[in-house]
Amino acid sequence: MPQDMAELMVVNGVIDTLDEARGRVDALAISDGRIVAVGTDAERLRGPETRVLDLNGAYAMPGLLDVHNHHMIAGQMDLFELDVPPTLGVDELLDAIAAYAQDLPADAWVVGGSWGSGLLKQINTAGLLARLDAATGGRPAVFKDDSKHNRWANSRALELAGIDDTTADPDGGQILRDAKGRATGVLIEAGGIMVEQALARLQPTSTDDLARAAARGIEILHSHGVTAFQDAAASLQLMQALKSLDDAGGLEAWVVSSMPANDFIFGMAPLGEGIIAHREETRSPHHRPDFIKIFLDGVPPAGTAAFIEPYLADVGFGDCHCGGTTMDPSDLEGWLRRTAERGISAKIHCTGDASVRLVLDTVEGIRAAGHRDVKYHIAHGQFVHPDDIARFAELDVTADISPSLWFPGVISEAIATVLPPERASRMQPNRSLLDAGARLAGGSDWPVSVSPNAWEGIYGLVTRQDPTGEFPGTLWPEQAITLDEAIRTYTTSAAEAMGVDDVTGSLAPGKSADFIVLSDDPHAIDIDRVRHITARQTWFAGRKVFDAETGLPAIPPSPAAAAAGHPTFARRCRGRASHL
């Protein structure tokens, strides 16, 4: 093929570049995985050997970005674990566990999730522990809740982890007990780490299986049109697996990793400087290990989110309980200063307004010290004090938002049981943040949310309603944003937040040819239909990586879902939960 001719032409459709200088065009020219021209300039590059993708009038746009997910954990759940929605009741959950466990070897761990956080009080009894023991048939078992912060372990798993009725609560967590002081198997935050460590020791996951899980997670993301994402808590082993995938030509997405500085959930090792020391060894053309991850507080339903004002007094947390942060101000300042000096950005988990304020106060000092180029994300940040809204833009702090965690659903209902109604109903002030000039970046927090479907999130941002229709009502409708604004949270704004806007996020010459062909033009249909938009094709670097019509690749129900008697993957991907 002549050097000046395109390898691939995309024509005969509505192509929304999301590039302000170009807008909508009718053609793309692609060579070597990059866009070389758009519109009439592209047409001049069509040669006799140029392949042509005829859109037949369909709508195409840049590939979507997910600024916050845990793709490898999602892949593990799909390939190797029991994967059920958090809307199940206790009886349904135990039935699913029993059906799944009976086909496992007698000494295998039974692992999976998710149990709804609203079940916490119900399962926190010796009687439910006995039922869990029976359902798992003597095998060790541990199950994550919908937030992935908390665990429910059976008696055998507690024994292998060295947890009994006398075991002291670890720093940053709780081993819940009944009225007689007996451990019930419910483990809050860092209370679950001993079980996770026992699982890792006795049934370790190989690097090959980590790579399989990561690849599987990416396949599922492709089926939703996602071509770039940020893993919000990547272990060194995962980062090494991503490097191996890329070296073998198998990493077909832009991946930004967040290296945990602390961990009260997963039991990862190494952490902090131990993982930072190896980050450059894992860097590759498509993998950028550019962030640290700090868990600064927990989740509201467990009373571990840090608030300025107290929780309700009669919900089991004690009087004047405001939660707390995992680091004091000097520790947080030390982490952000030391990493900023090396050009490392930070994603910081905050679910209460006190933790949000602490981050903003600390970043203010970091910016004043001259560190203007590092990126900061306040992850989740459902609750922001009005006095802090304008500070996001002033300090160039991104609001990393996951709509499926706050629009009407199981998590908003759980939060409403622990906070006064006037506060519980005022989650995610997106309109106010945008009006103040802040950057919003959209994430799924999948598999905390059951799906990485950005169109359900976009629908929620615009309508402030549950896209599944299962939960009625509208949450703080005054904070709705427009469709254009919502789409940019999953494209151009997310690319800026992740630091990949040099290669993706819009369709402009020089950028990677990452685009999706959709079932509908979101601007040409009623907003109610936006939640049902699907990806017909997903292309990464000029190569088709998903085709809904031909099944490239096949996205079958997971073995766990099939064993539990649950229907197709598409149906499993309709729920939501809490957050990581």
Side-chain angles (χ1 to χ4, degrees):
M1 177 181 300
Q3 273 192 329
D4 57 348
M5 292 294 104
E7 295 174 1
L8 174 68
M9 291 286 300
V10 183
V11 300
N12 191 27
V14 177
I15 303 171
D16 203 340
T17 67
L18 294 187
D19 181 73
E20 292 183 358
R22 294 170 175 85
R24 291 189 171 194
V25 298
D26 56 8
L28 297 177
I30 296 165
S31 290
D32 295 324
R34 300 271 173 171
I35 297 168
V36 293
V38 302
T40 54
D41 291 339
E43 289 288 355
R44 298 188 186 102
L45 299 181
R46 189 194 299 226
E49 298 178 32
T50 299
R51 294 181 296 119
V52 176
L53 173 63
D54 187 339
L55 295 177
N56 292 311
Y59 176 87
M61 64 175 287
L64 299 168
L65 290 87
D66 186 336
V67 80
H68 191 125
N69 70 33
H70 304 268
H71 78 290
M72 188 273 292
I73 294 175
Q76 280 184 311
M77 291 176 65
D78 190 77
L79 291 174
F80 309 126
E81 299 181 7
L82 173 66
D83 186 5
V84 295
T87 50
L88 298 185
V90 166
D91 292 340
E92 295 173 296
L93 175 61
L94 289 170
D95 286 346
I97 290 171
Y100 178 70
Q102 69 181 0
D103 293 328
L104 297 177
D107 59 348
W109 281 70
V110 189
V111 180
S114 303
W115 51 273
S117 51
L119 299 179
L120 193 150
K121 290 184 179 179
Q122 190 175 351
I123 65 175
N124 186 33
T125 67
L128 262 295
L129 178 60
R131 290 184 63 188
L132 179 60
D133 291 342
T136 49
R139 303 169 182 84
V142 60
F143 302 97
K144 306 173 188 74
D145 76 338
D146 50 16
S147 74
K148 307 300 184 286
H149 279 237
N150 308 309
R151 305 290 186 269
W152 187 24
N154 71 358
S155 297
R156 179 60 175 151
L158 295 177
E159 177 188 352
L160 292 172
I163 297 174
D164 60 27
D165 298 342
T166 65
T167 303
D169 287 345
D171 291 340
Q174 289 178 281
I175 299 167
L176 296 193
R177 308 164 205 274
D178 65 12
K180 296 181 178 179
R182 297 173 297 187
T184 62
V186 179
L187 308 168
I188 302 299
E189 302 281 353
I193 283 185
M194 292 174 66
V195 172
E196 290 290 344
Q197 290 172 337
L199 170 60
R201 182 179 71 253
L202 298 171
Q203 191 170 291
T205 303
S206 69
T207 300
D208 285 347
D209 278 349
L210 286 177
R212 284 182 62 203
R216 178 57 176 163
I218 293 170
E219 283 183 356
I220 297 170
L221 288 166
H222 285 160
S223 75
H224 291 282
V226 175
T227 56
F229 62 90
Q230 183 164 352
D231 192 286
S235 67
L236 177 58
Q237 294 84 354
L238 170 57
M239 290 163 58
Q240 291 167 336
L242 290 168
K243 173 70 159 58
S244 296
L245 268 178
D246 211 9
D247 288 348
L251 184 55
E252 296 180 313
W254 299 102
V255 184
V256 176
S257 285
S258 310
M259 304 168 285
N262 60 351
D263 174 23
F264 296 91
I265 304 172
F266 302 114
M268 290 182 187
L271 295 171
E273 293 297 340
I275 188 171
I276 290 171
H278 298 282
R279 74 183 186 110
E280 290 303 328
E281 301 166 13
T282 71
R283 187 178 298 277
S284 66
H286 298 112
H287 176 230
R288 301 184 180 188
D290 290 343
F291 282 69
I292 61 165
K293 170 67 176 288
I294 294 174
F295 289 94
L296 196 56
D297 66 358
V299 292
T304 52
F307 285 96
I308 297 170
E309 299 293 331
Y311 289 81
L312 290 171
D314 57 352
V315 294
F317 303 146
D319 292 340
C320 296
H321 175 74
C322 294
T325 57
T326 64
M327 293 182 180
D328 63 30
S330 63
D331 287 339
L332 180 63
E333 189 277 336
W335 268 109
L336 296 191
R337 175 177 47 78
R338 291 190 301 272
T339 50
E341 289 169 351
R342 288 171 281 179
I344 301 173
S345 300
K347 182 183 287 288
I348 307 162
H349 169 111
C350 304
T351 60
D353 55 7
S355 56
V356 170
R357 176 167 292 178
L358 177 56
V359 172
L360 294 170
D361 289 347
T362 307
V363 171
E364 186 172 3
I366 300 297
R367 297 298 194 208
H371 300 294
R372 308 301 304 180
D373 294 333
V374 287
K375 301 178 184 299
Y376 292 110
H377 299 180
I378 287 180
H380 308 309
Q382 291 101 316
F383 295 95
V384 181
H385 192 280
D387 292 348
D388 292 324
I389 293 286
R391 301 178 71 197
F392 279 76
E394 291 167 1
L395 298 170
D396 192 18
V397 173
T398 295
D400 160 359
I401 59 172
S402 299
S404 58
L405 307 185
W406 53 261
F407 53 53
V410 290
I411 189 57
S412 61
E413 289 185 350
I415 288 174
T417 67
V418 299
L419 291 179
E422 67 275 11
R423 287 165 55 198
S425 62
R426 298 178 77 81
M427 282 192 282
Q428 212 67 57
N430 300 324
R431 178 75 272 151
S432 296
L433 285 165
L434 280 178
D435 289 347
R439 179 189 301 107
L440 301 187
S444 64
D445 206 6
W446 178 59
V448 177
S449 65
V450 185
S451 168
N453 186 342
W455 295 105
E456 292 185 352
I458 288 166
Y459 171 88
L461 287 170
V462 175
T463 67
R464 308 284 296 195
Q465 296 175 357
D466 170 25
T468 72
E470 183 179 355
F471 295 89
T474 304
L475 182 66
W476 204 5
E478 294 82 2
Q479 292 297 327
I481 67 177
T482 69
L483 178 63
D484 282 341
E485 291 167 335
I487 289 173
R488 288 195 177 274
T489 67
Y490 288 92
T491 51
T492 54
S493 293
E496 292 171 5
M498 291 165 53
V500 294
D501 50 321
D502 59 320
V503 290
T504 196
S506 62
L507 299 175
K511 289 192 175 184
S512 183
D514 309 335
F515 64 94
I516 52 177
V517 183
L518 299 180
S519 58
D520 293 282
D521 178 346
H523 305 279
I525 59 176
D526 184 79
I527 187 61
D528 191 60
R529 290 175 55 196
V530 166
R531 56 184 168 154
H532 301 303
I533 289 175
T534 59
R536 291 167 54 184
Q537 293 182 8
T538 301
W539 291 70
F540 176 72
R543 196 178 85 80
K544 185 162 60 173
V545 293
F546 172 76
D547 190 318
E549 185 174 338
T550 63
L552 170 70
I555 306 289
S558 71
H566 290 281
T568 65
F569 172 83
R571 185 169 177 82
R572 283 194 300 115
C573 284
R574 288 198 176 276
R576 299 134 348 266
S578 184
H579 33 264
L580 289 179

